[in-house]
DNA sequence: GGGCCCGCAGGG
DNA sequence: CCCTGCGGGCCC
């Protein structure tokens, strides 16, 4: 794997693409990052000696311009040519301005990207005005650039945090480690190898940057619909702390109630009108504990299969969960492998080895149909995809709409392959951008050179970017559904809505709490530390959590290490061993500064939250109310209310009764599960399975309580492609 | 952490 | 009705 893109030479000088050590004259050094590259493996090489000296590598080109280099012959995704031309032209103009220093150029580029520029093309297009109302002094101004990534000197994009508390862009960090560097670029502390190989995005910092960018709005209690993704990931890992986690038995559970009213063959986003319970639809960043919950909210219906689709109709959604080793995830685009070709004998559901060829049939055909028609495909990422930096820490997360731009069959044991490219109006959960996707050019896929059955879309896509509206939408009518939709009872909707609103809160302090609570003390973090697994705690809380346990240092007695497995100290939020990290806790000063700054801003404007709450209430927003989650889970509020009306209803032998009766917002659907009996004779008492229960409490993702129509696409700014 | 195996849902 | 499947719990 890893053959798709262009890669530099590693620390040992070996080209990461062709794995050979290039001759001196085959080496190209980037003028910006000084990384060596193998010229023979580049898609386009500088033509003259002068060009060679001024050569900028593909990474830097894409980092600075937010756009990958576009080699000759690259297909442009629709719209890119038109709409982003002016932006690209503006970037080129900056680059060409010899009166500017590199630093000034970077600043200008950043302004351009973040929509603050107020420059020519704003007026030209007249559609990029909204976000920054005037030049108010926001949190970022106050911080004066301390948050910037020390590689690119810009706000960290997809921020990752080293155990020593320093923050970088994921891309910059990866480039650093790819050169064989194993120490922090800022303080030279050692970077643990696991973090170097699998850096995880620090979702609190994503939130911090988003809030800082929009700090004016935050204080207004204003829109922040993009946050909901974050705190969900950053919540304590209930699987290790609560009763619910100890409960077992979802393995063979029946599906719970579907809470949305879209048919199973519905294409595109789940809109608010099909979400009678929350009236907000499924938003980018929504998280679920498992595939059952994901299914209940309509993001992806099949509970084992990774592809939802019908060969005649098209595919509606996919899940990325690492089931196929060839998959490659670059966030805004990824390569997906079709299903099939595996030996499932022995009553298996999955298998690792690809034992025979796949064909474009069934689900694989469905994906191909979606490719050819340019249908929107919902994408859900699972924590089980361990190799991706974009995977959520736990559970599953809705990452928005993608389109399949091409598909083909790969050589070897033939598998169907699909190139997915993001095209959603909301920003991806890992960016701190305020805007969604802008049409982008396709990445270069090297495996295509040896591919067969290459399929590309011939006609215009059904889902595309409308230049007039500056947004992605249906350009053709959506394919009609052939499935029936289950209704949701009116009174249940109302009951649920009231219950949800009860748990709703929108004060600034609550928002800070949601995003920045320490997972131990549940207060807004003081002196935050970020673990290598990207969880955040107060320094003192984390220290306190292990105070009873004496850490046995790694010294040996009689040659034998004292630290056995039992002495390993696990992150309070996940099973990661953080023993080493605990030995030398470093505060994430940059995160701390943002939080402090936001906090003091919030305190300045303490009052106006009441009205804001009123307004927001109308949209039926809800929130997690996560701070009480352990004792009285937020969902139980709802469940209890409803259950008290209908006590012990689904108690019965037929497990599907409640489903068929549409006991709607009952978040807890009960069902029985038969357990396999292991030989020992007639013990009838145990053999009928235990009652299993699924609650939806974890499925309630946060809504910032604001669906104000002013939210949408703001500035057209270019998204970093890879 | 790896292997095993189950019911269930959905496509055809 | 049969076949498939990027889950999930459990046991080791």
């Amino acid at each position: 794997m890893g053959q798709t893109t262009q890669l530099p030479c590693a620390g040992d000088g070996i080209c990461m693409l062709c794995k050979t050590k290039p001759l001196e004259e085959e080496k190209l050094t980037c003028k910006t990052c000084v990384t060596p590259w193998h010229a023979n493996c580049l898609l386009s090489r500088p033509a003259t000696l002068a060009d060679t000296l001024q050569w900028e590598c593909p990474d830097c080109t894409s980092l600075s311009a937010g756009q990958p280099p576009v080699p000759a012959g690259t297909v442009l995704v629709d719209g890119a040519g038109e709409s982003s031309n002016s932006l690209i032209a503006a970037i080129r103009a900056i680059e060409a301005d010899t009166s500017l220093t590199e630093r000034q150029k970077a600043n200008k580029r950043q302004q351009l990207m973040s929509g603050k520029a107020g420059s020519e093309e704003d007026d030209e297009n007249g559609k990029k005005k909204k976000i920054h109302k005037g030049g108010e002094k926001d949190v970022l101004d106050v911080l004066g650039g301390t948050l910037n990534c020390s590689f690119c000197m810009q706000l960290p994009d997809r921020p990752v945090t080293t155990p020593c508390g320093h923050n970088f862009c994921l891309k910059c960090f990866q480039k650093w480690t790819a050169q064989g560097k194993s120490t922090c670029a800022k303080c030279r502390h050692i970077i643990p190898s696991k973090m170097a190989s699998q850096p995880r995005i620090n979702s609190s910092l994503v939130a911090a940057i988003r809030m800082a960018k929009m700090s004016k709005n935050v204080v207004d209690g204003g829109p922040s619909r993009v946050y909901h993704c974050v705190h969900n990931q950053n919540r304590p890992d209930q699987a290790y702390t609560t009763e619910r986690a100890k409960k077992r038995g979802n393995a063979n559970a029946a599906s719970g109630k579907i809470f949305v009213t879209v048919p199973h063959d519905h294409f595109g986003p789940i809109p608010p009108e099909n979400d009678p319970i929350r009236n907000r639809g499924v938003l980018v960043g929504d998280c679920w504990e498992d595939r059952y919950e994901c299914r209940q909210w309509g993001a992806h219906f099949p509970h084992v299969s990774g592809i939802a689709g019908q060969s005649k109709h098209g595919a509606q959604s996919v899940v990325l969960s690492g089931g196929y080793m060839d998959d490659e995830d670059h966030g805004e685009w990824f390569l997906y492998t079709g299903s099939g070709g595996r030996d499932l004998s022995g009553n298996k559901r999955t298998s690792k080895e690809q034992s025979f060829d796949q064909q474009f049939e069934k689900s694989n055909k469905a994906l191909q149909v979606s490719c050819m028609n340019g249908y929107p495909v919902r994408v859900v990422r699972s924590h089980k995809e361990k190799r991706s930096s974009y995977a959520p820490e736990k559970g599953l997360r809705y990452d928005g709409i993608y389109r399949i731009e091409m598909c083909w069959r790969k050589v070897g044991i033939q598998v169907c392959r699909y190139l997915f490219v993001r095209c959603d109006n909301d920003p991806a959960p890992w960016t701190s951008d305020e805007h969604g996707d802008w049409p982008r050019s396709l990445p270069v896929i090297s495996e295509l050179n040896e591919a067969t059955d290459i399929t590309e879309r011939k006609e215009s896509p059904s889902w595309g970017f409308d230049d007039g509206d500056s947004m992605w939408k249906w350009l053709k009518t959506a394919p009609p559904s052939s499935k029936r939709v289950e209704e949701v009872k009116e009174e249940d909707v109302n009951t649920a809505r009231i219950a949800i609103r009860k748990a709703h809160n929108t004060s600034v302090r609550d928002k800070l709490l949601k995003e920045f609570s320490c997972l131990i003390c549940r207060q807004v973090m003081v002196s935050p530390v970020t673990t290598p697994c990207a969880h955040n705690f107060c320094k003192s809380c984390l220290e306190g959590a292990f105070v009873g346990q004496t850490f046995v240092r790694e010294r040996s007695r009689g040659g034998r290490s004292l630290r056995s497995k039992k002495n390993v100290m696990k992150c309070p939020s996940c099973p990661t061993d953080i023993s080493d990290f605990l030995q030398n806790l470093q505060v994430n000063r940059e995160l701390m500064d943002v939080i402090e700054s936001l906090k003091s801003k919030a305190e300045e404007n303490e009052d106006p939250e009441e009205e804001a709450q009123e307004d927001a209430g109308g949209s039926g927003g809800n929130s997690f109310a996560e701070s009480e989650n352990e004792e009285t889970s937020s969902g139980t509020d709802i469940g209890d209310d409803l259950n008290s009306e209908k006590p012990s209803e689904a108690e019965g032998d037929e497990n599907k009764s409640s489903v068929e009766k549409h006991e709607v917002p009952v978040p807890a659907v009960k069902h029985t599960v038969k357990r396999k009996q292991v030989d020992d004779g007639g013990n009838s008492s145990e053999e009928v399975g235990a009652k299993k229960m699924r609650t939806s409490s974890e499925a309630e993702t946060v809504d910032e309580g604001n669906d104000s129509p002013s939210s949408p696409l703001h500035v057209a700014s270019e998204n970093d492609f890879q």
Side-chain angles (χ1 to χ4, degrees):
Chain A
M1 51 179 192
Q3 297 272 312
T4 357
T5 46
Q6 308 189 75
L7 293 171
C9 300
D12 49 10
I14 298 194
C15 171
M16 291 166 68
L17 212 56
C18 69
K19 315 288 183 204
T20 66
K21 189 162 187 172
L23 301 169
E24 226 19 70
E25 58 269 27
E26 291 172 357
K27 250 192 227 168
L28 267 176
T29 305
C30 172
K31 69 164 175 160
T32 305
C33 67
V34 211
T35 311
W37 291 66
H38 188 191
N40 298 9
C41 288
L42 286 167
L43 288 157
S44 66
R45 287 191 251 169
T48 67
L49 182 62
D51 290 345
T52 305
L53 296 174
Q54 280 305 304
W55 182 74
E56 193 172 39
C57 73
D59 282 0
C60 287
T61 317
S62 64
L63 278 169
S64 56
Q67 172 91 354
V70 183
T74 303
V75 195
L76 283 182
V77 184
D78 58 277
E82 294 306 312
S83 316
S84 54
N85 268 351
S86 56
L87 189 65
I88 293 168
I91 291 165
R92 298 230 165 98
I94 293 171
E95 293 300 335
D97 189 342
T98 48
S99 69
L100 299 173
T101 64
E102 281 311 304
R103 180 65 181 273
Q104 287 169 323
K105 285 181 186 174
N107 281 340
K108 280 218 156 199
R109 281 194 304 252
Q110 189 186 359
Q111 283 176 10
L112 192 63
M113 296 306 165
S114 62
K116 285 182 183 174
S119 55
E120 317 70 62
E121 73 283 347
D122 279 23
D123 304 332
E124 186 190 315
N125 289 356
K127 60 191 173 193
K128 310 176 179 176
K129 297 255 156 74
K130 296 249 164 71
I131 333 180
H132 287 274
K133 328 156 185 161
E136 77 272 358
K137 199 167 170 61
D138 63 18
V139 172
L140 291 177
D141 297 327
V142 174
L143 296 177
T146 53
L147 194 53
N148 288 353
C149 165
S150 30
F151 291 109
C152 65
M153 303 309 294
Q154 306 194 16
L155 279 174
D157 178 35
R158 301 134 217 257
V160 295
T161 305
T162 57
C164 45
H166 297 119
N167 303 304
F168 307 99
C169 306
L170 172 67
K171 285 283 159 193
C172 294
F173 179 80
Q174 284 175 327
K175 200 152 82 179
W176 179 249
T177 53
Q179 291 172 47
K181 305 288 201 317
S182 58
T183 56
C184 172
K186 220 164 175 176
C187 70
R188 305 291 157 179
H189 267 86
I190 282 281
I191 300 166
S193 61
K194 180 148 190 243
M195 173 171 187
S197 61
Q198 295 182 342
R200 283 288 167 129
I201 288 162
N202 183 350
S203 50
S204 268
L205 198 57
V206 175
I209 295 168
R210 282 181 173 174
M211 287 173 96
K213 277 185 176 174
M214 309 205 291
S215 52
K216 186 73 168 54
N217 287 340
V218 170
V219 172
D220 291 344
S224 50
R225 50 179 307 210
V226 288
Y227 306 155
H228 48 268
C229 53
V230 173
H231 97 279
N232 213 5
Q233 263 180 285
N234 209 23
R235 288 173 58 215
D237 188 334
Q238 301 193 339
Y240 296 89
T241 52
T242 67
E243 274 313 296
R244 186 186 188 282
K246 295 181 188 121
K247 172 182 71 71
R248 14 176 121 204
N250 281 346
N252 301 321
S255 161
K257 174 69 189 168
I258 307 295
F259 295 136
V260 292
T261 60
V262 292
H264 286 199
D265 54 358
H266 167 84
F267 285 89
I270 314 290
E273 52 270 31
N274 288 304
D275 177 7
I277 293 184
R278 301 173 303 179
N279 199 19
R280 91 206 218 317
V282 174
L283 302 180
V284 169
D286 280 359
C287 292
W288 305 283
E289 179 145 314
D290 55 29
R291 289 284 292 268
Y292 290 90
E293 273 183 0
C294 176
R295 168 186 163 80
Q296 288 186 291
W297 293 100
H300 185 80
F301 284 102
H303 74 279
V304 176
S305 175
I307 303 164
Q310 308 76 33
S311 59
K312 298 214 164 125
H313 206 184
Q316 293 83 28
S317 55
V318 295
V319 175
L320 283 86
S321 42
Y324 287 74
M325 290 316 269
D326 286 357
D327 289 1
E328 247 181 67
D329 193 358
H330 299 258
E332 277 72 23
W333 64 273
F334 60 88
L335 296 182
Y336 198 76
T337 306
S339 64
R342 295 189 165 185
D343 177 17
L344 299 181
S345 62
N347 205 8
K348 287 192 283 289
R349 301 293 170 268
T350 56
S351 156
K352 292 244 155 97
E353 284 125 58
Q354 203 64 35
S355 37
F356 47 96
D357 286 353
Q358 292 180 356
Q359 312 290 341
F360 279 116
E361 56 183 20
K362 299 181 183 171
S363 300
N364 297 347
K365 180 79 186 168
L367 286 170
Q368 193 182 39
V369 170
S370 285
C371 169
M372 290 192 296
N373 292 294
Y375 289 152
V377 182
R378 293 184 299 274
V379 168
V380 173
R381 279 187 175 79
S382 161
H383 74 285
K384 293 174 97 175
E385 173 53 281
K386 295 295 182 205
R387 296 162 306 146
S388 165
S389 295
Y390 303 93
E393 189 60 40
K394 61 167 302 214
L396 298 111
R397 185 187 63 212
Y398 174 64
D399 285 346
I401 298 299
Y402 287 64
R403 242 175 17 192
I404 304 168
E405 300 298 342
M406 291 176 93
C407 55
W408 59 91
R409 290 209 300 159
K410 193 181 175 181
V411 288
I413 293 184
Q414 298 224 314
V415 287
C416 299
R417 298 278 279 166
Y418 305 86
L419 168 62
F420 281 71
V421 178
R422 195 169 192 277
C423 48
D424 198 286
N425 291 316
D426 284 329
W430 51 83
T431 80
S432 47
D433 294 342
E434 295 120 357
H435 53 83
D437 298 295
W438 195 246
R440 42 167 72 86
S441 54
L442 299 187
V444 178
I445 313 289
S446 56
E447 74 176 56
L448 266 174
N449 296 333
E450 302 177 289
T452 57
D453 302 331
I454 298 177
T455 308
E456 280 180 276
R457 185 167 55 248
K458 307 250 156 45
E459 301 161 35
S460 64
S462 293
W463 174 267
F465 193 77
D466 182 304
D467 285 311
D469 293 350
S470 270
M471 67 185 299
W472 298 91
K473 57 160 145 173
W474 287 101
L475 300 178
K476 301 177 178 176
T477 51
S481 165
S482 54
K483 312 248 177 217
R484 206 172 55 83
V485 185
E486 293 199 10
E487 289 297 314
V488 172
K489 280 204 276 180
E490 193 59 35
E491 73 247 38
D492 293 334
V493 172
N494 290 335
T495 317
R497 203 176 279 162
I498 290 163
I500 287 167
R501 195 169 304 170
K502 228 188 322 186
H504 180 79
N505 50 35
T506 55
S507 80
V508 175
R509 188 158 290 281
D510 287 336
K511 279 184 186 158
L512 289 176
L513 263 176
K514 262 178 219 157
E515 307 302 342
F516 305 121
S517 22
C518 165
L519 298 172
I520 295 169
C521 71
R522 310 311 196 103
Q523 304 299 307
V524 176
M525 285 182 287
V526 180
S527 305
V529 293
T530 306
T531 63
C533 43
H535 292 110
N536 295 289
F537 308 90
C538 304
K539 183 167 188 271
S540 55
C541 289
L542 193 57
E543 284 165 344
F546 296 93
V547 90
Q549 306 172 41
T550 43
F551 185 81
V552 185
R553 285 221 154 222
E554 227 168 326
R555 64 190 147 75
S556 35
R557 184 179 53 187
R560 198 161 141 261
S561 171
L562 280 184
R563 182 139 62 96
S564 68
K565 266 199 167 165
K566 299 217 166 88
N567 291 359
V568 162
M569 307 207 178
K570 291 187 174 178
C571 169
S573 278
C574 75
T576 305
D577 174 7
I578 56 167
S579 315
D580 294 330
F581 176 68
L582 286 168
Q583 291 183 61
N584 185 14
L585 288 184
Q586 296 292 326
V587 172
N588 187 341
R589 293 204 71 86
E590 292 147 7
L591 180 57
M592 182 172 82
D593 289 347
V594 186
I595 296 172
E596 287 305 317
S597 185
L598 288 167
K599 215 154 69 176
S600 60
K601 270 225 146 195
E603 275 154 14
E604 282 170 28
N605 312 35
E606 196 56 279
D607 322 31
E609 54 196 68
E610 288 299 328
E611 309 86 277
Q613 189 166 342
E614 257 339 287
D615 292 347
S619 63
N622 64 41
S623 88
F624 238 109
E626 75 289 312
S627 18
E628 294 89 347
N629 226 344
E630 305 220 336
E631 297 82 18
T632 66
S633 103
S634 65
T636 27
D637 273 40
I638 305 165
D640 286 347
D641 283 1
L642 296 165
N643 288 343
S644 58
E645 281 171 29
K646 307 195 174 240
S648 67
E649 164 93 329
E651 234 9 275
D653 26 8
E654 75 289 283
N655 58 358
K656 292 191 176 166
S657 65
S658 68
V659 174
E660 277 154 13
K661 287 190 212 154
H662 310 304
E663 299 291 287
V664 174
V666 181
V669 176
K670 300 180 178 179
H671 38 251
T672 54
V673 172
K674 284 177 231 141
R675 298 283 298 287
K676 196 198 175 172
Q677 197 55 37
V678 201
D679 66 5
D680 46 349
N683 44 0
S684 56
S685 60
E686 285 200 4
E687 85 192 321
V688 186
K691 288 270 182 293
K692 310 295 181 198
M693 196 166 125
R694 305 194 47 76
T695 77
S696 77
S697 59
E698 287 78 14
E700 304 287 345
T701 43
V702 163
D703 176 347
E704 288 307 314
N706 188 314
D707 287 336
S708 69
S710 67
S711 45
L713 250 249
H714 310 287
V715 179
S717 84
E718 201 56 59
N719 225 353
D720 181 10
F721 191 43
Q722 4 189 355

